[in-house]
Amino acid sequence: MNLQQVFVSLLMFGVAGLLLFMYLQAWTEEQNTVSGEKLQQQITVQDFMLPPPETQRKAAQSRHISPELGRQEVAMMDSQQWQGKADPFGAVAVSLVSRLSDQQKISKSPFSQFKEVYSSPVLHPLNKTLVTGDQWKDVDSIQEKRRSFLYEFCKKYNSMKKLRTHLVHVVSRIYVEDRHKVLYCEVPKAGCSNWKRVLMVLNGLATSVHNISHDDVHYGKHLRKLDSYDLKGIYTRLNTYTKTIFVRDPLERLVSAFRDKFEHPNSYYHPVFGKAIIKKYRHNANEEALETGSGVKFKEFIQYLLDSHRPVGMDIHWEQVSKLCYPCLINYDFIGKFETLEEDANYFLQLVGAPTELKFPRFKDRHSSDERTSAEVVRQYLKELSKEERRLTYDFYYLDYLMFNYTSPIV
């Protein structure tokens, strides 16, 4: 073997050794515990495992149903049988803590507060010391039923599959009002614009809800969100502030979002969503429609919604509430509904000690001349869909229907 061959052999041996070293180093790093910084930002979020809607429908039809039970209560009973009983919150944060070394477990860390915030759900009584007058008796009774229903729902449904997500994502839709210690989770198309106006007045940023424009509400950046605080600030507020969520019948909310974003000129939704929807779901689309994205039909919008390979992502205006506000991870103290928006909102303002002159605004934020989206309006839009499309659309919002005890539509 000449000198050149020896040199080549040594070189190849060296390269092989270097590659082996790099591989072993990468493997070792992969086995290491996740860094403390990342662990502090993560929690385990429950991904509800529900029986298929069709399974529940058949089960409900196969036995006598008490007239006192709504379809959602029946579905809940069916699901408990189908899935088995378990506490949905038992494993929250435990898997993360178990990955810490013994030394890290002993030392103080933000995880010590997980048990307080994300332990098994507890139905805390509302503080009603600031409520005056007897006119809130009926509203309060309904509120207690809603709270109990959601509590029982979350206690009965467990997760067989864990979804890891950042804590900052879980609280990213929650607005903070520190003066009256309020946390409000924003659900678009359920009175959110006027709710943010109210929060601005409560926080001293405005003197009246009537003096705040739509742009100031949505683009002014006047209100802080919970994810802008550090971990201690997040946990403290989750534990001590009054947390509220306002929801709406899922299909009414969906149709309202479609009408607002696609039936009126819009410089964002038409070019971003409209163009992509028309391009994929409209056969022989003309050049103007492809260029502007205007004129999306409801049926095309539903095709996009139900497509597992959507040409564009989801949007908060039609995202499920279960994915916006995590109602079974965050113990909301007050559950308002769009259908009883004014009385619910004004009762909530009493609960938190708002100024007596502050009332929830009645005006419609945008397109005030349009008819409000009602159950009848929804029926007209659903006529454009096939029976299968209507069923799949309901199934898409199935969890929201169950969580908030809405009557499922006839699909």
Side-chain angles (χ1 to χ4, degrees):
M1 181 180 293
N2 58 36
L3 187 60
Q4 184 178 4
Q5 290 175 322
V6 172
F7 177 76
V8 171
S9 298
L10 289 173
L11 182 62
M12 293 179 65
F13 180 79
V15 171
L18 179 61
L19 291 173
L20 178 61
F21 173 77
M22 292 171 64
Y23 171 78
L24 289 174
Q25 187 180 38
W27 182 85
T28 302
E29 289 177 355
E30 186 177 344
Q31 303 309 309
N32 287 339
T33 305
V34 179
S35 69
E37 180 181 354
K38 289 185 178 179
L39 277 171
Q40 289 177 5
Q41 293 180 345
Q42 289 182 319
I43 61 172
T44 301
V45 176
Q46 301 295 338
D47 183 19
F48 293 98
M49 187 174 182
L50 299 174
E54 189 61 33
T55 300
Q56 294 199 26
R57 279 194 283 269
K58 290 180 179 178
Q61 293 169 0
S62 67
R63 68 175 186 276
H64 173 72
I65 299 173
S66 170
E68 284 79 18
L69 290 177
R71 294 183 64 173
Q72 274 65 46
E73 289 92 333
V74 173
M76 185 181 290
M77 292 162 56
D78 290 337
S79 184
Q80 187 178 0
Q81 278 187 334
W82 176 85
Q83 188 171 298
K85 299 176 181 178
D87 179 2
F89 287 78
V92 173
V94 173
S95 62
L96 282 175
V97 177
S98 66
R99 290 164 60 188
L100 294 168
S101 65
D102 291 339
Q103 184 177 358
Q104 287 173 305
K105 289 178 186 177
I106 295 172
S107 64
K108 291 184 178 180
S109 76
F111 282 107
S112 63
Q113 300 182 55
F114 269 7
K115 291 183 180 179
E116 301 173 27
V117 182
Y118 295 110
S119 58
S120 297
V122 177
L123 191 61
H124 297 292
L126 277 172
N127 181 357
K128 303 171 186 177
T129 57
L130 299 176
V131 177
T132 59
D134 297 328
Q135 70 268 35
W136 305 111
K137 185 177 179 180
D138 291 341
V139 182
D140 178 71
S141 175
I142 293 171
Q143 181 59 217
E144 291 300 339
K145 289 177 182 177
R146 290 177 188 167
R147 281 161 35 87
S148 297
F149 186 88
L150 183 60
Y151 167 76
E152 292 298 330
F153 174 91
C154 294
K155 197 167 70 169
K156 289 177 181 177
Y157 280 110
N158 72 305
S159 169
M160 307 300 290
K161 173 185 173 185
K162 301 295 187 297
L163 170 67
R164 302 200 86 76
T165 190
H166 288 286
L167 172 60
V168 292
H169 176 71
V170 173
V171 301
S172 63
R173 305 306 314 170
I174 297 179
Y175 284 88
V176 179
E177 198 284 290
D178 283 315
R179 285 189 175 187
H180 298 80
K181 297 186 176 181
V182 171
L183 296 182
Y184 161 71
C185 188
E186 177 189 25
V187 177
K189 311 312 297 180
C192 70
S193 297
N194 281 338
W195 255 118
K196 285 191 274 190
R197 287 185 172 92
V198 168
L199 293 180
M200 290 174 68
V201 173
L202 286 175
N203 207 33
L205 299 172
T207 57
S208 169
V209 293
H210 299 280
N211 300 332
I212 309 171
S213 70
H214 176 86
D215 287 348
D216 280 340
V217 166
H218 292 285
Y219 310 117
K221 307 295 182 184
H222 301 296
L223 297 169
R224 287 188 70 174
K225 289 184 179 179
L226 191 53
D227 62 355
S228 68
Y229 294 83
D230 59 18
L231 285 174
K232 182 179 179 181
I234 292 174
Y235 294 137
T236 298
R237 286 166 177 80
L238 284 174
N239 276 322
T240 61
Y241 283 24
T242 305
K243 301 174 289 294
T244 184
I245 180 175
F246 274 70
V247 299
R248 185 177 187 178
D249 177 275
L251 289 190
E252 280 192 23
R253 180 172 162 251
L254 175 69
V255 172
S256 177
F258 172 78
R259 296 176 71 197
D260 180 27
K261 305 306 178 186
F262 295 102
E263 292 187 347
H264 296 274
N266 192 294
S267 60
Y268 172 72
Y269 285 91
H270 290 193
V272 174
F273 287 88
K275 288 170 69 172
I277 290 173
I278 290 172
K279 182 178 180 180
K280 182 166 185 179
Y281 307 108
R282 183 178 299 179
H283 300 296
N284 303 317
N286 61 46
E287 190 174 328
E288 181 182 359
L290 292 170
E291 179 66 26
T292 64
S294 299
V296 170
K297 299 173 183 177
F298 186 65
K299 186 179 181 70
E300 296 167 337
F301 174 65
I302 295 301
Q303 288 177 303
Y304 145 78
L305 184 76
L306 301 177
D307 191 347
S308 58
H309 302 286
R310 300 184 190 96
V312 281
M314 280 294 287
D315 182 84
I316 60 171
H317 290 85
W318 46 84
E319 181 67 275
Q320 300 101 319
V321 176
S322 56
K323 294 183 179 179
L324 288 173
C325 296
Y326 296 93
C328 281
L329 247 185
I330 297 173
N331 290 336
Y332 289 98
D333 303 296
F334 192 94
I335 303 158
K337 290 193 172 183
F338 185 82
E339 293 76 13
T340 52
L341 178 58
E342 279 186 57
E343 56 185 0
D344 288 348
N346 287 325
Y347 178 50
F348 179 80
L349 291 175
Q350 282 265 318
L351 287 171
V352 299
T356 54
E357 66 273 13
L358 177 59
K359 306 297 180 186
F360 193 82
R362 296 183 176 185
F363 60 83
K364 192 177 180 186
D365 187 55
R366 300 180 71 191
H367 316 307
S368 56
S369 61
D370 288 0
E371 178 186 2
R372 283 192 180 273
T373 302
S374 61
E376 179 56 37
V377 171
V378 170
R379 278 192 286 271
Q380 296 305 314
Y381 278 82
L382 292 180
K383 288 179 180 179
E384 301 177 25
L385 309 180
S386 67
K387 185 176 181 179
E388 178 68 5
E389 287 171 330
R390 292 196 298 271
R391 184 185 67 80
L392 291 173
T393 305
Y394 163 66
D395 290 351
F396 185 84
Y397 292 104
Y398 177 59
L399 183 55
D400 284 0
Y401 271 102
L402 289 183
M403 274 186 169
F404 300 107
N405 198 22
Y406 277 108
T407 302
S408 58
I410 301 174
V411 295

